[in-house]
Amino acid sequence: DRNHIDHRHDESSVEVPPQLVDDLPTRADLADYYDEISRMDDDIGAMLDTLEQKGIQDNTLVIFFSDNGMPFPGAKGTLYDTGVGTPLIFKWPGIIRPGIRYGGLVSTIDLAPTIMEIAGLPVPESVQGRSMLDMVVAGGGPGRDQVFGERNWHDCDEHMRFVRTGRYKMILNSYTELPFGNPADLSMSPSWHSLAKKREEGGLTREQARIFTVPRPAVEFYDLEDDPHEFNNLAGRPEYAEEVQRLGRILDRWKAETGDFPSWQRRRGDHTDRVTGIHFSNVIPAMYSQKP
């Protein structure tokens, strides 16, 4: 309910990402999202006020993060930065100096070993990631040279993997013959319906058409300095061949180290249609697998 905040955002003031249609329903959808963030800010503020009222804020570590990027088509569920980039904020009075920022790469897979170190617990060998406590406290440090991620089943089955450095990103898509599988909450949104309508009319831009494109490229490679929205796939450019191969070797090593499975070995049916976006069942289909 947008009435639960003091200030409601005006549709005319929102910034429409290039993968969405710039129309009134999409702008209203984005304004609702801005309002949602405002409500969240109020709720987090109320929690911090409670810590202060109870007199425990000075010995409480607060960590704020989210589970995905912005919940819109072409973002949530993808491996682009708009889908996997999330906030990560630490508040620890007396330990972490307020206002410091770190501009390098971090991964939330490092949160578990970080919390274990804070608690004085040993980190089992089975835990992926490494503690970033020194970097958090100092506001800098070596950080990560690469971060990794994946997309598997989320209303539609996918087998997607990525590696990102400070400048480049490589994404591997296994189901190239299928349209991208949007999460159901996105394909029921006004911004999705605007895309679907414009698609029927034949007026999608290249950026808006990306989530409907078939076949999908098996390899996507982006220069994030020149192309922060990740629309210009450079995987076939000879001048980037060496870097593509380097990131490919890094991604292969990560997949081996983490016990990843090949795309043909495990599959699960969809319960949201990839073309129309209709969420046709609440039943999560059973996993079926093939032995190597």
Side-chain angles (χ1 to χ4, degrees):
D1 185 351
R2 295 178 64 192
N3 295 318
H4 286 177
I5 59 173
D6 293 334
H7 171 69
R8 290 169 54 181
H9 291 84
D10 186 353
E11 289 88 348
S12 64
S13 68
V14 303
E15 180 179 348
V16 181
Q19 76 269 18
L20 300 180
V21 176
D22 190 350
D23 63 3
L24 185 57
T26 299
R27 284 183 166 274
D29 205 9
L30 287 162
D32 283 344
Y33 177 52
Y34 288 12
D35 292 348
E36 181 181 38
I37 294 171
S38 295
R39 287 194 298 274
M40 178 205 66
D41 286 344
D42 287 344
D43 290 341
I44 296 297
M47 295 176 191
L48 295 177
D49 288 344
T50 299
L51 293 177
E52 184 177 5
Q53 292 163 10
K54 291 181 175 294
I56 57 175
Q57 68 166 350
D58 289 341
N59 65 346
T60 300
L61 167 62
V62 177
I63 305 175
F64 174 83
F65 61 101
S66 70
D67 63 339
N68 51 253
M70 62 186 302
F72 287 88
K76 179 181 177 181
T78 75
L79 298 185
Y80 305 121
D81 278 4
T82 50
V84 299
T86 61
L88 182 59
I89 303 171
F90 291 77
K91 181 180 184 294
W92 198 1
I95 306 296
I96 300 175
R97 181 166 48 85
I100 60 175
R101 293 174 176 265
Y102 175 67
L105 296 174
V106 297
S107 175
T108 51
I109 204 167
D110 294 330
L111 277 178
T114 301
I115 294 171
M116 288 178 177
E117 181 179 357
I118 292 170
L121 298 174
V123 180
E125 291 185 4
S126 59
V127 172
Q128 297 178 30
R130 59 178 185 262
S131 175
M132 53 182 169
L133 181 59
D134 290 343
M135 183 184 68
V136 169
V137 172
R144 280 182 167 270
D145 295 326
Q146 308 98 21
V147 292
F148 304 90
E150 60 190 272
R151 158 81 191 272
N152 297 297
W153 195 89
H154 187 160
D155 299 325
C156 296
D157 197 26
E158 291 288 356
H159 189 283
M160 302 163 61
R161 306 292 185 260
F162 86 88
V163 57
R164 187 200 197 281
T165 68
R167 178 166 182 174
Y168 299 110
K169 179 187 285 184
M170 170 186 276
I171 300 174
L172 301 183
N173 299 299
S174 295
Y175 306 156
T176 58
E177 74 283 6
L178 298 175
F180 176 73
N182 285 278
D185 56 337
L186 303 187
S187 58
M188 294 186 289
S189 67
S191 52
W192 164 271
H193 292 309
S194 291
L195 283 166
K197 180 181 178 181
K198 193 173 181 182
R199 183 191 184 199
E200 290 177 0
E201 297 169 349
L204 291 178
T205 66
R206 179 176 69 98
E207 292 80 8
Q208 294 162 355
R210 179 169 63 181
I211 60 172
F212 301 108
T213 300
V214 181
R216 288 185 279 171
V219 180
E220 298 177 62
F221 184 84
Y222 301 103
D223 184 337
L224 300 171
E225 287 187 6
D226 295 337
D227 179 28
H229 292 294
E230 300 166 81
F231 288 119
N232 187 22
N233 185 6
L234 303 173
R237 300 279 187 88
E239 62 267 34
Y240 292 97
E242 184 175 342
E243 188 66 18
V244 169
Q245 292 175 13
R246 186 181 79 87
L247 291 190
R249 290 191 295 269
I250 291 173
L251 194 52
D252 284 342
R253 185 167 63 247
W254 172 77
K255 290 164 67 177
E257 291 172 350
T258 57
D260 196 11
F261 61 95
S263 61
W264 53 264
Q265 193 174 87
R266 287 167 45 185
R267 296 290 294 266
R268 187 189 297 275
D270 303 338
H271 70 186
T272 299
D273 186 77
R274 293 171 182 263
V275 177
T276 65
I278 186 69
H279 178 58
F280 59 83
S281 173
N282 288 324
V283 177
I284 298 177
M287 177 81 71
Y288 59 97
S289 60
Q290 302 181 44
K291 295 188 181 299

